[in-house]
Amino acid sequence: MAAPVAIVAGAVPAGAAQDSADLSHVRDHISTVQTMTADFVQTDAQGRSAAGTLQLKRPGHIRFQYGSGDLLLVGDGKRLWFLDYQVGQKNSWDINKTPLGMLLAANPDVRRIGHLVPNPDKRIVVVRTSGSGIIGTGTLVLAFLRSPSAPAGLQLYGWTAIDAQNKRTTVRLSNVRYNVPVPDGAFTFRMPVKAR
């Protein structure tokens, strides 16, 4: 089987002839999954990798806890915060204007903003969302593995987020658990103190 991460990173938009049933399954999967936990490995455009744990609670909440403990990426329902405790820096963006906005939306309009990506391996479904509306100028390319036991028959394998500057960040998931308890406190955080 071809590596889904490689497929996600090199994906191109699909044509209109693609089976719309897969797009419906993606929509149903996202709508069904209200919470999710997983382990992740993130790789940036320079090939640097970082690992940690992920907690998600729709709408608008996500937490990437990096193993080093120095970095945190948190969606608090309105904003996506990147916190670097080692150097005392913080940045934030309107969560709906980031590539993750579609994945975290209350009612994502997958059919309007998503396109299937051609893929010779029928065990993998790849969807690219981009351009306008709920995710602003970013792009999210999602990879799913077909799995009868997963919500809507799809197991989220990972994604590539592409920002307005065309910088790509790929996330690969493992140990994924759906609709498990995730406390609201998971999305609180302390602000970093700027290093003197």
Side-chain angles (χ1 to χ4, degrees):
M1 184 167 102
V5 168
I7 291 168
V8 169
V12 294
Q18 293 293 323
D19 184 3
S20 65
D22 281 340
L23 212 51
S24 293
H25 291 153
V26 170
R27 181 198 61 214
D28 293 345
H29 172 93
I30 294 173
S31 298
T32 301
V33 175
Q34 296 302 306
T35 65
M36 184 179 78
T37 63
D39 297 325
F40 73 88
V41 176
Q42 174 183 300
T43 305
D44 68 13
Q46 285 76 44
R48 297 173 297 193
S49 293
T53 58
L54 166 69
Q55 292 174 289
L56 178 149
K57 190 171 193 176
R58 298 179 51 251
H61 294 85
I62 196 164
R63 180 185 185 100
F64 292 86
Q65 180 71 56
Y66 294 84
S68 67
D70 293 330
L71 301 175
L72 186 62
L73 185 67
V74 181
D76 63 8
K78 294 183 179 179
R79 300 196 67 77
L80 185 66
W81 293 86
F82 179 73
L83 309 162
D84 186 331
Y85 292 103
Q86 186 172 29
V87 298
Q89 291 183 343
K90 64 182 184 292
N91 291 295
S92 72
W93 307 267
D94 181 332
I95 204 162
N96 291 329
K97 300 202 184 219
T98 71
L100 288 175
M102 194 281 292
L103 189 62
L104 299 174
N107 297 296
D109 192 350
V110 177
R111 282 192 175 278
R112 183 174 64 82
I113 62 175
H115 305 279
L116 286 172
V117 174
N119 182 16
D121 191 333
K122 299 305 179 190
R123 294 170 292 181
I124 302 169
V125 176
V126 180
V127 173
R128 181 183 182 108
T129 65
S130 65
S132 61
I134 199 161
I135 58 168
T137 59
T139 297
L140 192 68
V141 184
L142 297 157
F144 297 88
L145 304 179
R146 295 187 195 276
S147 172
S149 62
L154 296 175
Q155 171 84 32
L156 181 59
Y157 181 86
W159 61 81
T160 294
I162 307 168
D163 68 14
Q165 287 75 45
N166 205 35
K167 292 181 182 174
R168 295 169 178 246
T169 302
T170 298
V171 173
R172 179 172 49 88
L173 303 179
S174 60
N175 301 319
V176 180
R177 297 173 65 212
Y178 297 111
N179 296 321
V180 295
V182 174
D184 290 339
F187 310 104
T188 61
F189 55 89
R190 62 180 175 83
M191 290 292 183
V193 177
K194 191 160 186 68
R196 294 179 184 246

